[in-house]
Amino acid sequence: MNYSKLSSATIQGIEAMKIDVEVDFDNRSVFNDIDVVGLGDTAVKESRKRVKSAILNSGFSLPHGKFVVNLAPGDVRKEGSMLDLPIALCILASTGIVKVNEDTLAVGELSLSGEVKRVSGILPVLLSLSEHFNGMVIIPKDNEEEAKCVKGLHVYAVRTLRECVEFLRGDISLKNIEYSGIRAIDPIQNIDFSDVRNHEMVKRAVEIAVAGFHNILMIGNPGSGKTMIAKRIPTIFPPMTEEEIIETSKVYSAAGYPGIIRNRPFRSPHHTASTVSIIGGGTSPKPGEISLAHNGVLFLDELPEFKRDVLEALRQPLEEHRVTVSRAKFTVTYPARFMLVGAMNPCPCGNLGDEKQPCVCSPRDILRYKKKISGPLLDRIDVVVNVPKLSFEEMMKKAEGEKSSRIRGRVIKARNIQRKRFKETDISFNSQMTHKMLRKYVQLDAESEEFLKRYVDRYGLSGRRIDKILKLSRTIADLENSEKIELKHLAEALQYRFRED
C-alpha cells in the first residue's frame, strides 16, 4: 500500500477552511477504481471521473488497484470542483510519480483533457491562508489576477495537470505571483448626473442620502426619471478603499464571479426575484443580491411589486448590515452593507397626480398598493422624495445638470467629517448612529427643538422616525460643513418624511 497527503481548501459562505486530502492506494485489487469519501457534494463525488480522465490524457498511467480518497475533516461538507487538482496530485503521489506533502496546497478544477480551470472562491482561500500558511500554493492560471491582491504567500499558477507535475518534480520553474497592489476605478463611467435635467430637489435628496449612507425611496409617475437617477447614484460615491475592494471581491469570488471588483456594485434585481436570490442561501449556499450589493447600491424598482416575504426579509440586513442563513446542515453569514434605493409609482396605474393622464385607481386600490410596503420597512428608509414628471419643454432644455464629479466632491468632504467624528467608534456613517450617539452628536438649539416638537405633535411621529430625522439633519449640516445643526437643516430633513396621509 502507498499513502500520500497534501492540503487544499473548501468554501463555507465567503470564508475558507483548510482541509487535508489523503489517498491510500491498494494494488491488490484487480479493478482500477477511485473512491471519494469525506462528506463531499455531487461535484466532489463526480471528481473521480474527471480526475481519472485528466490523469490519463495528461500522459500518465494508472496502475490497477483501488484509490481511496479521504477529505478531512470528515464532518465538514465540501462543495464545488476546486478539489480536482489536489485529488489528482495525491493519486499520482501515491503511485510514486510525484512527491507532495502538507506544505503544498492546491486548488483547481480539471477538465477531461487535463487543463486546470478557473474555480470560484480563490480570493477567500488566499486571504485565509495569508494569515498562517507558509507553504507553497498552486492555483489555476485563470485565477492569477486574484492572487496578485494578496500579500505574504508563495503562489504559483498552472495551466495543466502535466505542467503542475513537472513543476513539483523540478523539471520546470514557475514564477511566484507577486503582490501588485489594489487600485479603485474612477466611479465616473459613461453615465453622469449631468444627464439629469431639472429635478434639483431629487438630486439634492440623493446627495444627502449618499453622504450619510441613508436609504432612499423615490415616488413618481412612470417616465419621470426614477430609474435614470438611480443608475447614476454610484457615480457620486467616493472611490472604493482597498478594504472595501477586498470585502466586495470576496463575496463575488464566492458567488462565482471572476476578477477583482474595483468599482461600486449596483444591483437591480427584477421584482419577480425569489427570497433566496435576494437574501442568499439555497441548497449550495451562495450570496444573494443584498450581499452582491455590499459597499454599493441595491436598487429595487417597482418596490411594491416585490413579494411580501422578500421585502420583510430585508428588515434585519438593513439594520445589522449582514445576513445569516441557517439551514439544517449549515449556517453561513454574508456581509450586506448596502444603500437601499427604492422606486415606486404613486398608485397601481401610475397616473396619480399626472395632469395629462387620469388615474383610474380607486382610493381603496391606492391604499392597498401603499400598504404593500410595511411600516417596519418604511422605518428603515430615511429619505422619501417625490419625482415629478417633466414637461416637454423641461426635457428639451439644453442646459446640463451638475456633473457627478462636483457632487462627489461634496459627498467626500461630508464623509471625511463623519470618519473623523466616529474614529473612536465602530461605525462610519451618520445613518448608523445609535439613539445614545444622537444625544452626543446631534445638538438642537431651543428654536429648532420647539419646531421639531410641534411637528411631532402634529404628525404623531414615532421615536424611530424622530431619530431618522435627527440623523438626516446631521448629514445635511455636514454637507454645509456646519458643526451645529441649525433650523434650516432640520426643516430640510423634515421634507423627506414619508407621508401616509
Side-chain angles (χ1 to χ4, degrees):
M1 291 187 182
N2 295 294
Y3 170 84
S4 63
K5 179 180 179 180
L6 61 71
S7 301
S8 190
T10 189
I11 297 294
Q12 295 181 317
I14 63 167
E15 301 301 327
M17 179 178 181
K18 183 173 171 290
I19 65 172
D20 294 323
V21 179
E22 302 174 293
V23 170
D24 183 32
F25 173 51
D26 184 359
N27 58 9
R28 293 173 294 182
S29 174
V30 296
F31 298 103
N32 191 294
D33 186 33
I34 300 175
D35 191 15
V36 180
V37 298
L39 204 58
D41 68 353
T42 302
V44 174
K45 292 176 181 177
E46 291 177 346
S47 66
R48 61 193 185 94
K49 298 179 181 180
R50 292 191 298 271
V51 165
K52 184 176 181 180
S53 295
I55 290 175
L56 296 175
N57 290 326
S58 297
F60 304 111
S61 61
L62 283 178
H64 286 291
K66 184 175 183 178
F67 296 89
V68 178
V69 180
N70 180 44
L71 309 175
D75 60 345
V76 174
R77 184 171 177 80
K78 293 85 179 176
E79 298 179 344
S81 56
M82 65 167 56
L83 298 175
D84 288 4
L85 180 59
I87 290 175
L89 291 175
C90 252
I91 288 175
L92 292 174
S94 69
T95 60
I97 294 176
V98 68
K99 290 183 179 181
V100 296
N101 55 51
E102 294 179 64
D103 291 331
T104 302
L105 187 144
V107 289
E109 178 183 341
L110 290 175
S111 69
L112 299 183
S113 65
E115 179 188 359
V116 181
K117 302 175 68 175
R118 173 192 293 276
V119 292
S120 305
I122 283 291
L123 187 59
V125 168
L126 296 180
L127 289 171
S128 175
L129 294 175
S130 65
E131 301 173 2
H132 56 79
F133 190 72
N134 297 318
M136 177 196 306
V137 182
I138 300 174
I139 65 170
K141 185 69 174 179
D142 289 341
N143 288 112
E144 188 173 3
E145 182 186 359
E146 293 154 278
K148 291 179 179 179
C149 298
V150 183
K151 299 177 182 178
L153 285 176
H154 302 288
V155 185
Y156 300 89
V158 297
R159 292 184 174 86
T160 65
L161 175 60
R162 182 89 193 180
E163 181 183 31
C164 184
V165 171
E166 290 176 349
F167 169 65
L168 292 174
R169 291 196 303 203
D171 298 338
I172 63 172
S173 61
L174 296 176
K175 189 176 181 180
N176 181 31
I177 299 174
E178 296 181 356
Y179 174 76
S180 61
I182 303 173
R183 297 186 305 275
I185 298 176
D186 191 325
I188 297 297
Q189 298 178 359
N190 59 340
I191 57 175
D192 194 276
F193 255 105
S194 62
D195 304 330
V196 182
R197 305 175 190 275
N198 295 310
H199 284 319
E200 298 306 321
M201 181 176 179
V202 182
K203 289 189 284 187
R204 169 66 174 174
V206 168
E207 179 181 337
I208 294 170
V210 175
F213 212 67
H214 301 280
N215 301 315
I216 183 171
L217 174 63
M218 295 182 287
I219 305 175
N221 305 114
S224 58
K226 302 186 295 295
T227 302
M228 180 183 184
I229 293 170
K231 289 182 177 179
R232 283 154 179 77
I233 289 177
T235 67
I236 63 173
F237 268 80
M240 294 182 77
T241 64
E242 181 173 330
E243 181 181 0
E244 288 176 328
I245 291 173
I246 290 294
E247 286 180 352
T248 308
S249 297
K250 278 180 65 177
V251 176
Y252 276 73
S253 181
Y257 293 85
I260 301 300
I261 307 301
R262 303 178 187 272
N263 213 336
R264 298 281 174 187
F266 179 86
R267 305 295 299 185
S268 180
H270 194 262
H271 60 78
T272 58
S274 66
T275 304
V276 171
S277 67
I278 299 293
I279 303 301
T283 305
S284 298
K286 292 291 183 183
E289 291 291 336
I290 64 172
S291 296
L292 294 174
H294 184 58
N295 290 320
V297 173
L298 177 67
F299 176 48
L300 301 184
D301 201 3
E302 305 293 345
L303 186 64
E305 300 303 328
F306 281 81
K307 297 176 183 177
R308 182 72 178 227
D309 57 340
V310 171
L311 295 179
E312 294 307 302
L314 291 174
R315 287 161 52 179
Q316 185 176 3
L318 284 171
E319 288 287 339
E320 299 183 359
H321 307 297
R322 65 178 184 273
V323 58
T324 299
V325 180
S326 297
R327 298 291 185 267
K329 295 183 179 180
F330 64 86
T331 298
V332 294
T333 299
Y334 300 116
R337 185 176 61 247
F338 58 90
M339 175 179 164
L340 176 64
V341 178
M344 61 180 286
N345 297 327
C347 66
C349 78
N351 296 327
L352 184 65
D354 194 322
E355 298 179 356
K356 303 290 180 65
Q357 300 290 333
C359 176
V360 297
C361 304
S362 67
R364 186 174 183 178
D365 291 337
I366 296 173
L367 181 61
R368 186 185 300 114
Y369 180 75
K370 290 183 177 181
K371 289 295 183 182
K372 289 183 178 180
I373 307 175
S374 68
L377 180 60
L378 280 173
D379 277 346
R380 289 160 174 80
I381 298 176
D382 300 358
V383 180
V384 180
V385 62
N386 290 317
V387 185
K389 198 170 184 178
L390 301 179
S391 66
F392 175 79
E393 291 75 14
E394 289 172 321
M395 287 189 290
M396 298 303 291
K397 187 178 179 182
K398 292 184 178 180
E400 288 188 340
E402 189 176 22
K403 289 187 175 297
S404 293
S405 56
R406 293 192 61 184
I407 303 174
R408 189 170 76 250
R410 296 194 295 269
V411 168
I412 292 174
K413 288 180 180 179
R415 288 203 172 186
N416 287 338
I417 292 173
Q418 295 170 67
R419 188 177 295 109
K420 183 178 179 180
R421 174 185 299 133
F422 302 127
K423 65 180 180 180
E424 302 298 331
T425 70
D426 58 353
I427 69 171
S428 304
F429 307 107
N430 291 330
S431 62
Q432 299 172 321
M433 282 192 290
T434 63
H435 182 74
K436 185 178 181 180
M437 289 179 177
L438 287 173
R439 293 179 176 272
K440 180 178 181 180
Y441 298 116
V442 181
Q443 302 292 332
L444 299 179
D445 56 29
E447 182 183 15
S448 299
E449 190 168 332
E450 178 61 27
F451 181 78
L452 179 60
K453 181 179 182 299
R454 292 199 305 267
Y455 196 94
V456 170
D457 291 342
R458 179 178 179 181
Y459 290 103
L461 300 187
S462 66
R464 177 175 283 178
R465 291 281 179 92
I466 295 172
D467 285 354
K468 295 289 185 185
I469 290 169
L470 294 176
K471 293 175 186 178
L472 211 55
S473 302
R474 178 69 272 169
T475 300
I476 294 171
D478 289 342
L479 281 168
E480 297 188 5
N481 198 22
S482 172
E483 182 61 32
K484 295 182 179 180
I485 295 179
E486 302 175 10
L487 180 60
K488 63 179 181 178
H489 303 144
L490 179 62
E492 184 176 3
L494 289 170
Q495 294 183 80
Y496 305 120
R497 184 181 76 83
F498 184 73
R499 294 177 173 82
E500 299 176 271
D501 46 311

